[in-house]
Structures are given as structure tokens and as C-alpha cells.
Amino acid sequence: MEKRPALIKEDEEDTQESDFARFVAPSRRREREHEADDDERDRRRAREEDKAKQSESTPTKDLQSENATDTPKDAVLSKDELYGREVQWDLFTSRNLLETAIMPFVRKQVVAYLGEEEETLIGFISDLLKKRTSPVELEKQMAMILDDEAAKFVEALWRELHRVLETAE
């Protein structure tokens, strides 16, 4: 019986195993990251469902029955009209409204969306507002973090911003 030379020497076999491990490890890491993302999405959906259940059990106000003076001007504006509305940035900065009125609102919203007070995100939003970032750009930036929730988050933030400015005048 003739002995054939092995196609792969033992040393080369060890090298191939380690190459395989290096190839497989990143894909397994990506799988774990995707699983973590899926878990976060599931938690976010559960929070949304809880909010929806709470809002269903909470009686809604009929805007037509309220006085026009009790209704903020921007409550009936469409998103495009709201985003097109001019922000009085000078008033916003001179009265320190970012720290006194807007950031408490942002903190509550972040907790509502993420389930915890994420200081890095809150600081990021604060920096964007200090730079007088447009709502469209703010929405793009927030989409990296909040995915589909970014539009609702920014719209609520912009409504609050205008409400605070109206009361500060």
C-alpha cells in the first residue's frame, strides 16, 4: 500500500483552523449585535404598546370644545407647517429656555422612548439645539438612534419648543 503525502501538513492545518476562527468570530459577533438590536426593538415596541394602552384608557379632550386661547397655536399645525415656523432663537437663548424648559422635556421623552435617562443622548440633543439645528436635520441625526421613532420625537420636541417660546413672550 502506497502512502500518499498529506495535502495539508499538520502545521498548516492549525493555521487553517485559526484562520477559520478569525473568519467565523466576527460573523458570530455580528449575530450577537443583531440579536441585541432585536431585543432593543422588542423592548421599544412593548413600551409603545404600553403607551397606546394608557392613552386608550385616558379620556381625550375634544379640541373643538376648548377655548382657542387654551389651545397652543401649533397644536393644530401639520408637521410641515410646524417645521416651517420660525424659531425665535434670540428669545430662546436670552431667557435660557434650553436648560429651564426644553431639557426637562427632552429628559422625559428620552426616558419614555428608551426606558432610561441616557445622558449621552440628552447631551447630543442639547448640543444640536444650541447649534440651532433645523428640525429636518435634527430628525436625520435622531434617526440613527431612534430609528422610526425619530420623526415623532422631533415633532413633539418642536411643538414643545414653540409652546415654550409662546409662553415666554
Side-chain angles (χ1 to χ4, degrees), residues 3-158:
K3 194 172 187 183
R4 290 191 208 165
L7 294 175
I8 301 174
K9 296 179 185 174
E10 287 181 32
D11 291 341
E12 290 176 358
E13 192 172 309
D14 291 340
T15 305
Q16 285 182 342
E17 279 184 35
S18 62
D19 287 344
F20 178 75
R22 277 187 252 136
F23 174 75
V24 172
S27 66
R28 288 185 181 153
R29 187 177 22 234
R30 283 191 298 271
E31 287 175 17
R32 286 192 300 270
E33 288 171 355
H34 288 298
E35 288 172 4
D37 290 345
D38 290 343
D39 291 343
E40 178 59 32
R41 281 190 199 100
D42 291 343
R43 286 192 295 271
R44 198 176 292 153
R45 282 190 195 111
R47 285 192 299 272
E48 288 175 16
E49 289 172 2
D50 289 344
K51 285 183 202 175
K53 288 177 185 176
Q54 288 175 354
S55 67
E56 288 174 3
S57 64
T58 306
T60 58
K61 294 181 181 178
D62 185 2
L63 289 177
Q64 293 174 346
S65 65
E66 293 182 9
N67 289 335
T69 56
D70 294 341
T71 304
K73 293 176 189 174
D74 65 329
V76 293
L77 294 177
S78 72
K79 180 178 169 182
D80 291 336
E81 291 170 327
L82 179 67
Y83 284 10
R85 217 169 150 199
E86 185 179 342
V87 176
Q88 299 171 8
W89 292 109
D90 294 334
L91 178 64
F92 184 73
T93 54
S94 69
R95 301 252 178 109
N96 196 25
L97 296 175
L98 178 65
E99 295 304 322
T100 59
I102 298 300
M103 292 316 295
F105 174 81
V106 167
R107 287 181 190 288
K108 288 178 188 174
Q109 292 297 308
V110 167
V111 169
Y113 281 92
L114 300 179
E116 62 182 304
E117 197 169 290
E118 177 60 50
E119 286 299 324
T120 306
L121 177 58
I122 293 167
F124 178 67
I125 295 167
S126 175
D127 289 344
L128 290 173
L129 290 172
K130 286 176 185 174
K131 293 177 186 175
R132 300 177 178 195
T133 305
S134 74
V136 173
E137 181 60 28
L138 188 62
E139 200 172 297
K140 286 178 188 174
Q141 296 289 326
M142 296 303 297
M144 295 185 296
I145 301 155
L146 297 176
D147 299 322
D148 299 334
E149 306 289 322
K152 287 187 249 179
F153 180 89
V154 173
E155 186 175 347
L157 174 59
W158 224 246

